[in-house]
Amino acid sequence: MIPIKNTEQLKKMRIAGRITGEALLVAEEAIRPGISTKALDEVIRHYIEKCGARPTFLGYGGFPGAACISINDEVIHGIPSADRLLKEGDIVKVDVGASIHGFTGDAARTFPVGQITPEATALIEATRESFFRAAAMALSGNRIGDVGHAVESYVQPLGYTVVRKYVGHGVGAELHEDPEVPNFGTPGRGPRLFPGMTIAIEPMVNAGGADVRVLANHWTVVTSDGSLSAHYENTVAIGENGPELLTYIR
C-alpha cells in the first residue's frame, strides 16, 4: 500500500522538508577547497539538530554520518571522513534527511568546489533540469512511469546515462516507503499518482556508462567506468493543483 498523507501529516512533512532544504543551503555555504567531508557533515548535523529535528541518515542501517557526501565518480552513500578533503575542481553530492514530528524530508544537491570544468558544470545542470522535468510530471492521475521517463528522455540525448540499480522512493513516516521511483520508465505505466502521496524524485546521472559498483566499505556507490556522476533530489507532494516541492528552498 502506498501511504496517503492527510492535511495534518502534510503540514509535518512541510516542516521536515523545510529543515532538510535549509540544511543543504548551510552545506553549500560551507563547501570550499580544504574542508573535510567529516567537517561538512558536522555542519549539517548541527543545523538539523538546532532546528529540533533528527538527522535521518545517522545510524540508518548502520550509516555513520548525518549526510551522505559523495565526490566526483561517487554516485551516492559517500561516508564522511576527516581524512577526505574537498579539492578545487571536485563536484560533491550532499544527500540529507531530517526527521521531526514523526515525518521525514529527503533531498540532495551536487555542488561545485571552486572552479570546475565545463563538462562537470553541464552534467550538474542537466541533472538538475531532469529533476524539474520529472517533477512537472508528478501530477495526480499520472503514473510513476511518466516521472521516470521524463528524466531519462531528457539526459539520454545529451549523452548521459541514468543509474538503474538505485532509484527514488516514497518518503514520509519512513525514509523509504512505496512506491519505487526509477529515473527511467514507460509513460502511462506503473503506480498511479494521487493527492497526498509524497515521493523522493532523485535523478542520478552519469557522464559515462550506467553501471555502478559498491566499494569495500559496503556503502559508497561509484561509477564502474570512473566517470563523473551528479545527483539532484527533492521530496515532492502530489497535490490537487500540481506538485509541491517540500525540500526546495531555492
Side-chain angles (χ1 to χ4, degrees), residues 14-95:
R14 290 186 185 100
I15 296 170
R18 175 181 54 78
I19 295 169
T20 302
E22 289 173 351
L24 286 170
L25 294 182
V26 169
E28 182 178 20
E29 292 175 357
I31 288 171
R32 64 183 185 279
I35 191 173
S36 72
T37 56
K38 178 64 174 176
L40 182 58
D41 183 73
E42 289 170 351
V43 167
I44 294 165
R45 178 176 179 176
H46 175 74
Y47 183 80
I48 292 172
E49 292 179 339
K50 184 179 74 171
C51 293
R54 175 178 59 85
T56 313
F57 300 168
L58 186 60
Y60 185 83
F63 189 77
C68 299
I69 303 176
S70 311
I71 303 170
N72 296 336
D73 65 330
E74 296 171 352
V75 182
I76 49 174
H77 303 163
I79 298 175
S81 169
D83 299 324
R84 193 81 186 276
L85 306 183
L86 299 183
K87 303 188 304 296
E88 182 87 14
D90 285 340
I91 64 172
V92 57
K93 284 128 284 184
V94 181
D95 192 353

Side-chain angles (χ1 to χ4, degrees), residues 78-156:
I79 298 175
S81 169
D83 299 324
R84 193 81 186 276
L85 306 183
L86 299 183
K87 303 188 304 296
E88 182 87 14
D90 285 340
I91 64 172
V92 57
K93 284 128 284 184
V94 181
D95 192 353
V96 172
S99 299
I100 190 170
H101 305 315
F103 288 88
T104 293
D106 186 11
R109 303 284 185 270
T110 302
F111 299 115
V113 182
Q115 294 294 316
I116 62 174
T117 66
E119 291 79 12
T121 298
L123 175 64
I124 292 172
E125 291 178 349
T127 304
R128 181 182 187 277
E129 176 64 20
S130 74
F131 164 82
F132 283 101
R133 291 182 179 236
M137 300 305 294
L139 302 171
S140 178
N142 277 1
R143 294 183 179 270
I144 288 294
D146 299 309
V147 176
H149 178 75
V151 174
E152 187 170 49
S153 64
Y154 177 72
V155 302
Q156 198 168 55

Side-chain angles (χ1 to χ4, degrees), residues 209-234:
D211 290 342
V212 297
R213 61 186 179 89
V214 180
L215 296 184
N217 63 24
H218 303 296
W219 278 106
T220 308
V221 178
V222 301
T223 58
S224 294
D225 59 9
S227 61
L228 289 179
S229 185
H231 185 198
Y232 193 96
E233 174 187 21
N234 281 300

Side-chain angles (χ1 to χ4, degrees), residues 167-180:
V167 299
H169 50 90
V171 58
E174 303 292 337
L175 175 59
H176 293 102
E177 298 181 344
D178 287 334
E180 289 192 342

